[in-house]
Amino acid sequence: MHFAHSLTHRAYSLYLPKEARNGVTHLVSKQQASRTNPKMAPFRRNVDFWLFCLGVALAEGLAPREGSPKDWGYKFVDTREVQLPNEVYKLLTVVAYEELARDADLVEDPAQIINVANRLAGAAYPRVLNELMSKDLRNTPLDKALGLARHVLS
């Protein structure tokens, strides 16, 4: 696939909101040297958290966050450093197609596609973090992530 190939040969930055940095640290197991229990840190990598946020944004029909991710976010990885399944690349292209007003020139540009994905993940971040870090001590962050996923899919 052209898009997947171009992402691995050029670096496109993936962003999360600046205010996400501390919250994400608690939920990503790779960043938890002393606590790698998947119930407490349900995401293996930052990109997994980013993808979860993207999925929530799509399921809830959220509009992409306004502005450039460079202005409101922090880069946590670039596309040369992370491998995603081809299905994810296809999904990103389909999502961008709709958001970019079906403009073929824009949809052919990987930078535009990643920009849309970053802005969608940024839009869902507050909802996801609030849900996963809620004070409900009866449920672990993993339970909360699964509950949120069930809720947005129903």
Side-chain angles (χ1 to χ4, degrees):
M1 168 177 246
H2 170 69
F3 179 55
H5 175 74
S6 61
L7 284 180
T8 58
H9 286 79
R10 184 162 175 229
Y12 298 96
S13 298
L14 301 184
Y15 287 90
L16 282 167
K18 290 175 185 168
E19 65 269 18
R21 192 179 300 258
N22 290 335
V24 172
T25 299
H26 295 290
L27 297 168
V28 175
S29 62
K30 260 195 168 173
Q31 295 180 7
Q32 293 290 331
S34 64
R35 187 179 74 180
T36 58
N37 180 347
K39 289 183 178 184
M40 300 309 291
F43 302 98
R44 192 169 57 86
R45 309 168 297 171
N46 285 340
V47 72
D48 299 322
F49 180 81
W50 180 84
L51 286 166
F52 187 78
C53 289
L54 179 64
V56 168
L58 294 173
E60 293 194 337
L62 299 178
R65 185 170 176 158
E66 293 294 322
S68 169
K70 290 179 182 179
D71 294 336
W72 51 256
Y74 73 96
K75 172 188 165 184
F76 64 88
V77 74
D78 73 45
T79 56
R80 285 188 301 195
E81 299 173 47
V82 66
Q83 186 172 359
L84 298 172
N86 279 334
E87 291 76 17
V88 171
Y89 298 131
K90 291 175 187 175
L91 172 67
L92 294 176
T93 303
V94 170
V95 169
Y97 180 75
E98 200 58 41
E99 289 297 326
L100 297 171
R102 301 178 182 188
D103 181 325
D105 290 334
L106 293 176
V107 176
E108 287 290 318
D109 181 359
Q112 293 291 330
I113 294 170
I114 293 299
N115 181 45
V116 168
N118 279 325
R119 291 175 47 231
L120 283 166
Y125 159 77
R127 163 104 162 92
V128 171
L129 191 69
N130 286 339
E131 187 71 28
L132 301 188
M133 300 298 285
S134 71
K135 301 269 187 230
D136 178 4
L137 299 178
R138 295 169 295 165
N139 294 311
T140 67
L142 176 60
D143 296 329
K144 294 171 189 176
L146 293 171
L148 178 57
R150 278 191 298 274
H151 174 75
V152 299
L153 289 173
S154 65

